[in-house]
C-alpha cells in the first residue's frame, strides 16, 4: 500500500474515532450549532452506525436534510446521575414538576408546526386536567411559569422549537407575553431515547425493553450479545467500571479472551486509552471530546471541595460522614468569602454532601452506612508536598 493510501486510511480512522467521541459527549448534534461536527458525522455515518450497533447496541439516526444526528443511547440500568438541567443561570437539575411539564409540552407540540407560548400553555392546562395522576398546570402562578419556561428552554436548546418572534424568558414575568415558535415535530420525537415507543408500551418499564436480547429466555447468542453491549455501554458511559460492580455475565465476558479483545478494539477504534487493572477498567479521552463533565474542575464549589476532601479519604482510610461535615465546615470558616451559597447554618453538611455526590459520580468514593471510603481510582489524584494536586493520566 502506498504512503498516500496509508495516510488516507489513517485519516479516515481518526475521523471516525473523533465522530464517535463527539456523539458520546453530545448524543444530539445539530448542523446549526456545530456544522463541522455534523458534516463529519454525515460523511462517516455508515461506519459510525455499524460501530455503535456492534459494540453498544445503540442506534444512530442521521438526518442530512433536517440537519441533525441523534445517537439513541439506552442505559443498561436506570440512573439519575445525568439529569436534565435548567438552561437558566442556576443550571439546577430538573425536578419532577419540570419533567412532567417537559413531557406534556412535547406531546402537545406534535399537533402543530407553529404555535405560541400562550396557546401551548393552554393546551398543557387542558392536557394536565384530563390526566388523573398529573397535577394541574396553573400559568397564573410564577413558580409554575418558571417550570414551564425551563421545559421550553430545554426544548429550544435541543432544536425541537425555535422562537421566531419574542423570547421565552419574557413569560417568567408576564403570563400574556407573546412568543411565536416554529416546531420541529420530528426532532421532538427523536428526543425520547427508548427502544419501545410510549404508545406501544404496556407500562413505563416497557419503554426500555430491548427484544433483541431475548427477554426471560434468551439463547446463548443473545446472552453473549447482551454481555458485550451492556459492558461496553458502561465503559463508555461511566468514568470508571469496577469489577466488583459487574454482573456475573459481564465479569465472565470481560475475563474471556474474546471479551478482552473486543473491549480493546472498541477503545482503539474510538480513540480512547484503555486502562485495565485488577480493580476494573477506565477509558481515557485525552482531548475530553466524549466528556460531559470534568474533574478536577473549578466550575463549582462542590467540585473544589471534593478535590480538597479526596486527599483525606485516600490518606486516612474510611471516614465518617460527620467528619466530612466538619472538614467542609472548616473550609467555610477558613475562606469566609468563598462558596457564599453555603455560608449559612448547615452549610458545612450541605457542602460535604454535594462534594460526596461529585466523588461518587466519578467513581472515586463510596458510602456504606455512615462510612465513606475512597475507591481505587482515587489513587490517580494525589497531593504533592502539600502544594499541588496532580492527576495521573
Amino acid at each position: 500500500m502506498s504512503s498516500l493510501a496509508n495516510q488516507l486510511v489513517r485519516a479516515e480512522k481518526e475521523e471516525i474515532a473523533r465522530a464517535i467521541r463527539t456523539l458520546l459527549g453530545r448524543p444530539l448534534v445539530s448542523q446549526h450549532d456545530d456544522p463541522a461536527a455534523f458534516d463529519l458525522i454525515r460523511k462517516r455515518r455508515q461506519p459510525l452506525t455499524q460501530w455503535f450497533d456492534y459494540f453498544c447496541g445503540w442506534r444512530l439516526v442521521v438526518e442530512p436534510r433536517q440537519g441533525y444526528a441523534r445517537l439513541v443511547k439506552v442505559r443498561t440500568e436506570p440512573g439519575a446521575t445525568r439529569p436534565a438541567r435548567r438552561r437558566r443561570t442556576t443550571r439546577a437539575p430538573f425536578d419532577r414538576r419540570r419533567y412532567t411539564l417537559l413531557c406534556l409540552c412535547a406531546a402537545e407540540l406534535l399537533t402543530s408546526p407553529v404555535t405560541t407560548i400562550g396557546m401551548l400553555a393552554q393546551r398543557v392546562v387542558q392536557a394536565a386536567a384530563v390526566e388523573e395522576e398529573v397535577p394541574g398546570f396553573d400559568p397564573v402562578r410564577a413558580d409554575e411559569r418558571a417550570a414551564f419556561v425551563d421545559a421550553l428552554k430545554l426544548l429550544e436548546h435541543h432544536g425541537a422549537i425555535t422562537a421566531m418572534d419574542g423570547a421565552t424568558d419574557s413569560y417568567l414575568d408576564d403570563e400574556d407575553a407573546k412568543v411565536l415558535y416554529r416546531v420541529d415535530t420530528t426532532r421532538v420525537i427523536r428526543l425520547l431515547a427508548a427502544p419501545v415507543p410510549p404508545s406501544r408500551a404496556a407500562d413505563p418499564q416497557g419503554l426500555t425493553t430491548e427484544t433483541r436480547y431475548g427477554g426471560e429466555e434468551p439463547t446463548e447468542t443473545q446472552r453473549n450479545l447482551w454481555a458485550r453491549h451492556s459492558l461496553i455501554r458502561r465503559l463508555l458511559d461511566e468514568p470508571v467500571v469496577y469489577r466488583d460492580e459487574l454482573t456475573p455475565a459481564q465479569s465472565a465476558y470481560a475475563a474471556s479472551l474474546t471479551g478482552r479483545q473486543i473491549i480493546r478494539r472498541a477503545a482503539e477504534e474510538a480513540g480512547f486509552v484503555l486502562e485495565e487493572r485488577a480493580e476494573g477498567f477506565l477509558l481515557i479521552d485525552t482531548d475530553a471530546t466524549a466528556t460531559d463533565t470534568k474533574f478536577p474542575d473549578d466550575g463549582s464549589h462542590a467540585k473544589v471541595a471534593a478535590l480538597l476532601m479526596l486527599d483525606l479519604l485516600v490518606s486516612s482510610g474510611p471516614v465518617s460522614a460527620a467528619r466530612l461535615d466538619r472538614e467542609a465546615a472548616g473550609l467555610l470558616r477558613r475562606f469566609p468569602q468563598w462558596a457564599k451559597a453555603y455560608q449559612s447554618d448547615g452549610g458545612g453538611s450541605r457542602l460535604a454532601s454535594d462534594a460526596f455526590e461529585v466523588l461518587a459520580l466519578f467513581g472515586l468514593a463510596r458510602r456504606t452506612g455512615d462510612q465513606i471510603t475512597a475507591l481505587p481510582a482515587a489513587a490517580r489524584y494525589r497531593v504533592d508536598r502539600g502544594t499541588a494536586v496532580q492527576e495521573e493520566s
Side-chain angles (χ1 to χ4, degrees), residues 168-230:
T168 302
D169 282 329
S170 64
Y171 194 68
L172 289 168
D173 301 317
D174 184 5
E175 182 190 352
D176 297 319
K178 308 298 181 184
V179 187
L180 178 65
Y181 294 112
R182 182 177 66 247
V183 183
D184 186 337
T185 55
T186 303
R187 195 174 301 202
V188 172
I189 295 171
R190 295 292 189 202
L191 290 180
L192 182 63
V196 179
S199 59
R200 299 181 185 176
D203 52 54
Q205 290 72 30
L207 287 171
T208 57
T209 300
E210 297 181 81
T211 57
R212 70 188 297 180
Y213 303 115
E216 296 182 358
E217 298 182 1
T219 65
E220 183 67 23
T221 299
Q222 289 171 324
R223 282 195 292 269
N224 289 334
L225 185 64
W226 170 244
R228 178 173 82 224
H229 287 171
S230 62

Side-chain angles (χ1 to χ4, degrees), residues 275-346:
E275 282 194 10
E276 183 178 358
R277 308 210 174 185
E279 300 87 0
F281 306 87
L282 180 67
L283 289 179
I284 301 172
D285 179 12
T286 56
D287 59 9
T289 301
T291 302
D292 57 351
T293 182
K294 300 178 182 179
F295 183 81
D297 180 18
D298 61 359
S300 74
H301 297 124
K303 286 186 176 181
V304 173
L307 186 59
L308 294 172
M309 293 180 185
L310 193 56
D311 184 56
L312 171 67
L313 292 173
V314 172
S315 61
S316 301
V319 301
S320 66
R323 182 172 179 185
L324 278 191
D325 291 350
R326 292 195 297 271
E327 292 289 331
L331 284 174
L332 294 173
R333 287 193 299 270
R334 287 166 55 197
F335 306 102
Q337 300 304 314
W338 175 72
K340 292 186 177 180
Y342 296 96
Q343 297 283 356
S344 61
D345 291 342

Side-chain angles (χ1 to χ4, degrees), residues 55-340:
F55 288 108
C56 314
W58 287 338
R59 185 164 57 95
L60 175 63
V61 179
V62 182
E63 297 285 359
R65 293 185 179 181
Q66 296 180 350
Y68 70 88
R70 173 66 161 132
L71 176 62
V72 185
K73 295 175 65 177
V74 182
R75 287 184 60 87
T76 301
E77 298 176 357
T81 57
R82 292 174 176 83
R85 293 191 176 274
R86 306 174 200 183
R87 303 304 303 175
R88 292 186 288 154
T89 54
T90 63
R91 297 288 294 162
F94 267 38
D95 52 21
R96 185 181 183 89
R97 185 55 174 160
R98 283 167 171 78
Y99 278 121
T100 300
L101 291 175
L102 176 65
C103 293
L104 290 173
C105 287
E108 295 305 319
L109 286 170
L110 296 177
T111 62
S112 175
V114 178
T115 189
T116 67
I117 198 168
M119 292 172 60
L120 181 59
Q122 288 306 309
R123 293 187 67 88
V124 170
V125 169
Q126 296 168 6
V130 299
E131 296 289 342
E132 295 182 0
E133 298 182 2
V134 175
F137 173 56
D138 183 4
V140 175
R141 292 170 46 187
D143 60 332
E144 287 279 80
R145 292 201 305 275
F148 184 67
V149 165
D150 286 331
L152 291 180
K153 288 183 72 67
L154 184 64
L155 291 167
E156 280 189 280
H157 171 69
H158 291 304
I161 58 175
T162 303
M164 301 170 64
D165 186 27
T168 302
D169 282 329
S170 64
Y171 194 68
L172 289 168
D173 301 317
D174 184 5
E175 182 190 352
D176 297 319
K178 308 298 181 184
V179 187
L180 178 65
Y181 294 112
R182 182 177 66 247
V183 183
D184 186 337
T185 55
T186 303
R187 195 174 301 202
V188 172
I189 295 171
R190 295 292 189 202
L191 290 180
L192 182 63
V196 179
S199 59
R200 299 181 185 176
D203 52 54
Q205 290 72 30
L207 287 171
T208 57
T209 300
E210 297 181 81
T211 57
R212 70 188 297 180
Y213 303 115
E216 296 182 358
E217 298 182 1
T219 65
E220 183 67 23
T221 299
Q222 289 171 324
R223 282 195 292 269
N224 289 334
L225 185 64
W226 170 244
R228 178 173 82 224
H229 287 171
S230 62
L231 177 57
I232 295 180
R233 286 177 185 181
R234 293 188 63 177
L235 289 171
L236 295 173
D237 255 355
E238 300 176 17
V240 59
V241 175
Y242 293 106
R243 293 184 189 273
D244 62 2
E245 296 175 343
L246 298 177
T247 67
Q250 291 171 339
S251 182
Y253 185 82
S256 69
L257 177 61
T258 300
R260 292 198 302 271
Q261 290 175 340
I262 289 179
I263 290 171
R264 292 168 184 169
R265 179 181 151 201
E268 180 183 356
E269 292 183 6
F272 289 106
V273 176
L274 173 66
E275 282 194 10
E276 183 178 358
R277 308 210 174 185
E279 300 87 0
F281 306 87
L282 180 67
L283 289 179
I284 301 172
D285 179 12
T286 56
D287 59 9
T289 301
T291 302
D292 57 351
T293 182
K294 300 178 182 179
F295 183 81
D297 180 18
D298 61 359
S300 74
H301 297 124
K303 286 186 176 181
V304 173
L307 186 59
L308 294 172
M309 293 180 185
L310 193 56
D311 184 56
L312 171 67
L313 292 173
V314 172
S315 61
S316 301
V319 301
S320 66
R323 182 172 179 185
L324 278 191
D325 291 350
R326 292 195 297 271
E327 292 289 331
L331 284 174
L332 294 173
R333 287 193 299 270
R334 287 166 55 197
F335 306 102
Q337 300 304 314
W338 175 72
K340 292 186 177 180

Side-chain angles (χ1 to χ4, degrees), residues 27-60:
L28 180 60
V29 177
S30 171
Q31 184 178 27
H32 178 269
D33 297 330
D34 194 340
F38 176 77
D39 287 344
L40 176 59
I41 293 166
R42 177 186 53 77
K43 175 183 176 183
R44 301 298 183 188
R45 62 176 164 175
Q46 182 175 351
L48 289 172
T49 300
Q50 293 171 346
W51 192 93
F52 282 112
D53 179 68
Y54 179 78
F55 288 108
C56 314
W58 287 338
R59 185 164 57 95
L60 175 63

